[in-house]
Short mmCIF file of all heavy atoms in Angstrom, two decimals:
data_model
loop_
_atom_site.label_atom_id
_atom_site.label_comp_id
_atom_site.label_asym_id
_atom_site.label_seq_id
_atom_site.Cartn_x
_atom_site.Cartn_y
_atom_site.Cartn_z
N ALA A 1 -5.86 -2.72 5.61
CA ALA A 1 -6.85 -3.74 5.51
C ALA A 1 -6.44 -5.04 6.28
O ALA A 1 -7.27 -5.70 6.83
CB ALA A 1 -7.11 -4.13 4.08
N ARG A 2 -5.12 -5.27 6.34
CA ARG A 2 -4.61 -6.52 7.02
C ARG A 2 -4.96 -6.34 8.48
O ARG A 2 -5.14 -7.30 9.23
CB ARG A 2 -3.11 -6.65 6.79
CG ARG A 2 -2.70 -7.00 5.41
CD ARG A 2 -1.26 -7.27 5.30
NE ARG A 2 -0.80 -8.41 5.95
CZ ARG A 2 0.38 -8.83 6.19
NH1 ARG A 2 1.37 -8.07 5.64
NH2 ARG A 2 0.78 -9.90 6.75
N LYS A 3 -4.84 -5.05 9.00
CA LYS A 3 -5.14 -4.90 10.46
C LYS A 3 -6.67 -4.79 10.71
O LYS A 3 -7.16 -5.16 11.83
CB LYS A 3 -4.56 -3.57 10.87
CG LYS A 3 -3.07 -3.45 10.96
CD LYS A 3 -2.60 -2.02 11.37
CE LYS A 3 -1.04 -2.02 11.50
NZ LYS A 3 -0.52 -0.64 11.95
N GLU A 4 -7.48 -4.46 9.80
CA GLU A 4 -8.92 -4.36 9.88
C GLU A 4 -9.65 -5.64 9.77
O GLU A 4 -10.55 -5.96 10.61
CB GLU A 4 -9.43 -3.39 8.78
CG GLU A 4 -10.98 -3.24 8.89
CD GLU A 4 -11.47 -2.28 7.78
OE1 GLU A 4 -10.68 -1.66 7.17
OE2 GLU A 4 -12.71 -2.12 7.67
N PHE A 5 -9.21 -6.58 8.88
CA PHE A 5 -10.03 -7.75 8.58
C PHE A 5 -9.26 -9.03 9.16
O PHE A 5 -8.07 -9.09 9.08
CB PHE A 5 -10.10 -8.02 7.13
CG PHE A 5 -11.02 -6.82 6.51
CD1 PHE A 5 -10.38 -5.90 5.72
CD2 PHE A 5 -12.35 -6.83 6.55
CE1 PHE A 5 -11.13 -4.87 5.09
CE2 PHE A 5 -13.09 -5.80 6.03
CZ PHE A 5 -12.47 -4.85 5.23
N ASP A 6 -10.06 -9.96 9.60
CA ASP A 6 -9.54 -11.23 10.15
C ASP A 6 -9.90 -12.23 9.19
O ASP A 6 -11.06 -12.76 9.18
CB ASP A 6 -10.17 -11.57 11.45
CG ASP A 6 -9.46 -12.67 12.10
OD1 ASP A 6 -8.51 -13.29 11.55
OD2 ASP A 6 -10.00 -13.21 13.20
N GLY A 7 -9.05 -12.70 8.25
CA GLY A 7 -9.27 -13.65 7.23
C GLY A 7 -8.60 -13.30 6.01
O GLY A 7 -7.87 -12.31 5.90
N PRO A 8 -8.67 -14.19 5.06
CA PRO A 8 -7.91 -13.85 3.64
C PRO A 8 -8.44 -12.64 3.08
O PRO A 8 -9.62 -12.25 2.96
CB PRO A 8 -8.22 -15.08 2.85
CG PRO A 8 -9.46 -15.77 3.40
CD PRO A 8 -9.53 -15.36 4.84
N ILE A 9 -7.40 -12.00 2.39
CA ILE A 9 -7.72 -10.74 1.59
C ILE A 9 -7.15 -10.89 0.23
O ILE A 9 -6.12 -11.38 0.01
CB ILE A 9 -6.98 -9.51 2.27
CG1 ILE A 9 -7.52 -9.26 3.66
CG2 ILE A 9 -7.14 -8.28 1.39
CD1 ILE A 9 -6.87 -8.18 4.39
N ALA A 10 -7.99 -10.50 -0.75
CA ALA A 10 -7.60 -10.60 -2.20
C ALA A 10 -7.25 -9.27 -2.69
O ALA A 10 -8.05 -8.38 -2.53
CB ALA A 10 -8.64 -11.23 -3.02
N VAL A 11 -6.13 -9.07 -3.32
CA VAL A 11 -5.86 -7.90 -3.93
C VAL A 11 -5.77 -8.04 -5.46
O VAL A 11 -5.12 -8.82 -5.91
CB VAL A 11 -4.38 -7.36 -3.53
CG1 VAL A 11 -3.88 -6.13 -4.31
CG2 VAL A 11 -4.43 -7.01 -2.08
N VAL A 12 -6.67 -7.32 -6.26
CA VAL A 12 -6.75 -7.33 -7.58
C VAL A 12 -6.20 -6.18 -8.23
O VAL A 12 -6.71 -5.02 -8.00
CB VAL A 12 -8.28 -7.45 -8.05
CG1 VAL A 12 -8.34 -7.54 -9.57
CG2 VAL A 12 -8.93 -8.73 -7.38
N CYS A 13 -5.12 -6.26 -8.96
CA CYS A 13 -4.48 -5.10 -9.56
C CYS A 13 -3.81 -5.53 -10.82
O CYS A 13 -3.71 -6.56 -11.20
CB CYS A 13 -3.33 -4.65 -8.58
SG CYS A 13 -2.05 -5.87 -8.17
N GLY A 14 -3.41 -4.43 -11.60
CA GLY A 14 -2.75 -4.70 -12.72
C GLY A 14 -1.37 -5.55 -12.55
O GLY A 14 -0.68 -5.27 -11.58
N ALA A 15 -1.19 -6.52 -13.42
CA ALA A 15 -0.10 -7.44 -13.17
C ALA A 15 1.23 -6.83 -12.93
O ALA A 15 2.09 -7.22 -12.21
CB ALA A 15 0.15 -8.35 -14.40
N PHE A 16 1.48 -5.62 -13.57
CA PHE A 16 2.70 -4.91 -13.50
C PHE A 16 3.05 -4.52 -12.01
O PHE A 16 4.27 -4.40 -11.56
CB PHE A 16 2.72 -3.63 -14.39
CG PHE A 16 4.04 -2.97 -14.34
CD1 PHE A 16 5.09 -3.37 -15.13
CD2 PHE A 16 4.15 -1.81 -13.55
CE1 PHE A 16 6.36 -2.63 -15.12
CE2 PHE A 16 5.31 -1.04 -13.64
CZ PHE A 16 6.37 -1.53 -14.38
N HIS A 17 1.95 -4.19 -11.28
CA HIS A 17 2.24 -3.66 -9.91
C HIS A 17 2.36 -4.81 -8.83
O HIS A 17 2.81 -4.52 -7.59
CB HIS A 17 0.82 -2.86 -9.46
CG HIS A 17 0.72 -1.67 -10.34
ND1 HIS A 17 1.58 -0.63 -10.42
CD2 HIS A 17 -0.33 -1.44 -11.16
CE1 HIS A 17 1.04 0.31 -11.21
NE2 HIS A 17 -0.08 -0.15 -11.69
N VAL A 18 2.19 -6.05 -9.17
CA VAL A 18 2.20 -7.07 -8.18
C VAL A 18 3.59 -7.19 -7.45
O VAL A 18 3.71 -7.16 -6.20
CB VAL A 18 1.88 -8.54 -8.76
CG1 VAL A 18 2.18 -9.65 -7.80
CG2 VAL A 18 0.43 -8.45 -9.25
N PRO A 19 4.66 -7.12 -8.17
CA PRO A 19 5.99 -7.20 -7.39
C PRO A 19 6.25 -6.05 -6.45
O PRO A 19 6.60 -6.21 -5.31
CB PRO A 19 7.06 -7.09 -8.49
CG PRO A 19 6.33 -7.66 -9.81
CD PRO A 19 4.96 -7.17 -9.56
N ALA A 20 5.75 -4.84 -6.79
CA ALA A 20 5.91 -3.75 -5.89
C ALA A 20 4.95 -3.79 -4.67
O ALA A 20 5.35 -3.37 -3.54
CB ALA A 20 5.64 -2.39 -6.62
N LEU A 21 3.85 -4.36 -4.90
CA LEU A 21 2.84 -4.44 -3.73
C LEU A 21 3.28 -5.59 -2.77
O LEU A 21 2.98 -5.57 -1.52
CB LEU A 21 1.49 -4.65 -4.37
CG LEU A 21 0.94 -3.57 -5.14
CD1 LEU A 21 -0.66 -3.81 -5.47
CD2 LEU A 21 1.13 -2.18 -4.55
N GLN A 22 3.88 -6.64 -3.32
CA GLN A 22 4.34 -7.72 -2.57
C GLN A 22 5.63 -7.42 -1.69
O GLN A 22 5.90 -8.00 -0.64
CB GLN A 22 4.56 -8.95 -3.33
CG GLN A 22 3.35 -9.68 -3.91
CD GLN A 22 3.75 -10.85 -4.77
OE1 GLN A 22 4.72 -10.87 -5.51
NE2 GLN A 22 2.97 -11.90 -4.69
N ALA A 23 6.33 -6.46 -2.20
CA ALA A 23 7.58 -6.16 -1.51
C ALA A 23 7.36 -5.58 -0.19
O ALA A 23 6.30 -4.74 0.12
CB ALA A 23 8.34 -5.07 -2.44
N THR A 24 8.25 -5.93 0.81
CA THR A 24 8.11 -5.44 2.18
C THR A 24 8.81 -4.11 2.31
O THR A 24 10.07 -4.03 2.06
CB THR A 24 8.58 -6.48 3.20
OG1 THR A 24 7.87 -7.71 3.05
CG2 THR A 24 8.50 -6.00 4.51
N ARG A 25 8.16 -3.09 2.60
CA ARG A 25 8.72 -1.77 2.76
C ARG A 25 8.26 -1.09 4.10
O ARG A 25 7.05 -1.29 4.38
CB ARG A 25 8.46 -0.80 1.61
CG ARG A 25 9.09 -1.40 0.32
CD ARG A 25 8.78 -0.45 -0.82
NE ARG A 25 9.49 0.88 -0.63
CZ ARG A 25 9.65 1.97 -1.52
NH1 ARG A 25 9.08 1.73 -2.68
NH2 ARG A 25 10.19 3.02 -1.15
N PRO A 26 9.08 -0.34 4.77
CA PRO A 26 8.60 0.37 5.87
C PRO A 26 7.45 1.36 5.64
O PRO A 26 7.51 1.93 4.63
CB PRO A 26 9.88 1.11 6.44
CG PRO A 26 10.95 0.39 5.90
CD PRO A 26 10.46 -0.12 4.61
N LEU A 27 6.46 1.36 6.55
CA LEU A 27 5.34 2.30 6.20
C LEU A 27 5.75 3.70 6.23
O LEU A 27 5.18 4.54 5.54
CB LEU A 27 4.33 2.04 7.44
CG LEU A 27 3.53 0.70 7.47
CD1 LEU A 27 2.54 0.63 8.61
CD2 LEU A 27 2.86 0.39 6.22
N LYS A 28 6.75 4.04 6.97
CA LYS A 28 7.25 5.47 7.00
C LYS A 28 7.83 5.83 5.60
O LYS A 28 7.69 7.04 5.24
CB LYS A 28 8.29 5.55 7.98
CG LYS A 28 7.91 5.50 9.46
CD LYS A 28 9.02 5.88 10.45
CE LYS A 28 8.39 5.86 11.89
NZ LYS A 28 9.47 6.02 12.92
N GLU A 29 8.38 4.95 4.82
CA GLU A 29 8.80 5.34 3.45
C GLU A 29 7.69 5.68 2.59
O GLU A 29 7.72 6.57 1.84
CB GLU A 29 9.64 4.15 2.93
CG GLU A 29 11.05 4.00 3.60
CD GLU A 29 11.84 3.02 2.84
OE1 GLU A 29 11.47 2.65 1.66
OE2 GLU A 29 12.86 2.51 3.40
N ASP A 30 6.65 4.79 2.65
CA ASP A 30 5.49 5.09 1.81
C ASP A 30 4.72 6.38 2.24
O ASP A 30 4.35 7.18 1.39
CB ASP A 30 4.51 3.94 1.82
CG ASP A 30 4.99 2.75 1.08
OD1 ASP A 30 5.85 2.94 0.12
OD2 ASP A 30 4.60 1.55 1.37
N GLN A 31 4.65 6.52 3.56
CA GLN A 31 4.07 7.87 4.00
C GLN A 31 4.80 9.05 3.55
O GLN A 31 4.27 10.07 3.29
CB GLN A 31 3.94 7.72 5.56
CG GLN A 31 2.97 6.77 5.96
CD GLN A 31 2.94 6.49 7.55
OE1 GLN A 31 3.95 6.95 8.15
NE2 GLN A 31 2.04 5.72 8.03
N ALA A 32 6.13 8.92 3.52
CA ALA A 32 6.94 10.05 3.16
C ALA A 32 6.79 10.34 1.65
O ALA A 32 6.75 11.50 1.29
CB ALA A 32 8.44 9.66 3.45
N ILE A 33 6.65 9.27 0.84
CA ILE A 33 6.29 9.53 -0.53
C ILE A 33 5.09 10.31 -0.82
O ILE A 33 4.94 11.14 -1.72
CB ILE A 33 6.24 8.16 -1.30
CG1 ILE A 33 7.66 7.48 -1.29
CG2 ILE A 33 5.75 8.36 -2.78
CD1 ILE A 33 7.67 6.05 -1.90
N LEU A 34 4.00 9.99 0.14
CA LEU A 34 2.73 10.64 -0.03
C LEU A 34 2.58 11.97 0.72
O LEU A 34 1.50 12.51 0.67
CB LEU A 34 1.63 9.57 0.39
CG LEU A 34 1.53 8.43 -0.46
CD1 LEU A 34 0.47 7.45 0.15
CD2 LEU A 34 1.05 8.69 -1.80
N LYS A 35 3.63 12.42 1.43
CA LYS A 35 3.59 13.51 2.18
C LYS A 35 3.26 14.72 1.25
O LYS A 35 3.88 14.90 0.28
CB LYS A 35 4.92 13.70 3.00
CG LYS A 35 4.78 14.90 3.98
CD LYS A 35 6.15 15.03 4.75
CE LYS A 35 6.12 16.22 5.71
NZ LYS A 35 7.32 16.37 6.49
N GLY A 36 2.37 15.64 1.74
CA GLY A 36 2.01 16.75 1.02
C GLY A 36 1.11 16.55 -0.15
O GLY A 36 0.98 17.37 -0.98
N LEU A 37 0.57 15.25 -0.21
CA LEU A 37 -0.29 15.01 -1.41
C LEU A 37 -1.58 15.87 -1.38
O LEU A 37 -2.33 15.92 -0.50
CB LEU A 37 -0.79 13.58 -1.23
CG LEU A 37 -1.49 12.92 -2.35
CD1 LEU A 37 -0.70 12.73 -3.68
CD2 LEU A 37 -2.14 11.67 -2.02
N ALA A 38 -1.55 16.61 -2.45
CA ALA A 38 -2.72 17.60 -2.69
C ALA A 38 -4.04 16.91 -2.86
O ALA A 38 -4.05 15.88 -3.63
CB ALA A 38 -2.37 18.62 -3.88
N ARG A 39 -5.02 17.39 -2.28
CA ARG A 39 -6.41 16.78 -2.45
C ARG A 39 -7.38 17.82 -2.70
O ARG A 39 -7.28 18.94 -2.07
CB ARG A 39 -6.83 15.81 -1.20
CG ARG A 39 -5.74 14.83 -0.95
CD ARG A 39 -6.37 13.67 -0.24
NE ARG A 39 -5.51 12.56 0.15
CZ ARG A 39 -5.80 11.33 0.62
NH1 ARG A 39 -7.06 11.19 0.87
NH2 ARG A 39 -4.96 10.57 0.83
N ARG A 40 -8.42 17.50 -3.42
CA ARG A 40 -9.53 18.52 -3.68
C ARG A 40 -10.75 17.73 -3.60
O ARG A 40 -10.80 16.60 -3.79
CB ARG A 40 -9.37 19.14 -5.05
CG ARG A 40 -8.05 19.92 -5.16
CD ARG A 40 -7.61 20.05 -6.73
NE ARG A 40 -8.50 20.71 -7.64
CZ ARG A 40 -8.29 20.91 -8.87
NH1 ARG A 40 -7.24 20.31 -9.45
NH2 ARG A 40 -9.16 21.65 -9.67
#
């Protein structure tokens, strides 16, 4: 979304997730976590 939109973005989530979403992590790490994610 940061790449798609030009302007402020609001993220509304459960308070518990805020520290994890604010943390800076390489995209490759997150992609690796989701690798092989089954979908139906």
Side-chain angles (χ1 to χ4, degrees):
R2 293 182 70 188
K3 292 181 179 180
E4 179 182 353
F5 297 103
D6 186 10
I9 295 174
V11 175
V12 180
C13 62
F16 182 80
H17 298 295
V18 171
L21 300 188
Q22 285 179 327
T24 302
R25 297 186 60 172
L27 295 181
K28 289 185 178 180
E29 287 188 15
D30 288 336
Q31 291 168 349
I33 293 175
L34 297 174
K35 186 177 180 180
L37 187 67
R39 301 200 182 195
R40 295 152 72 179

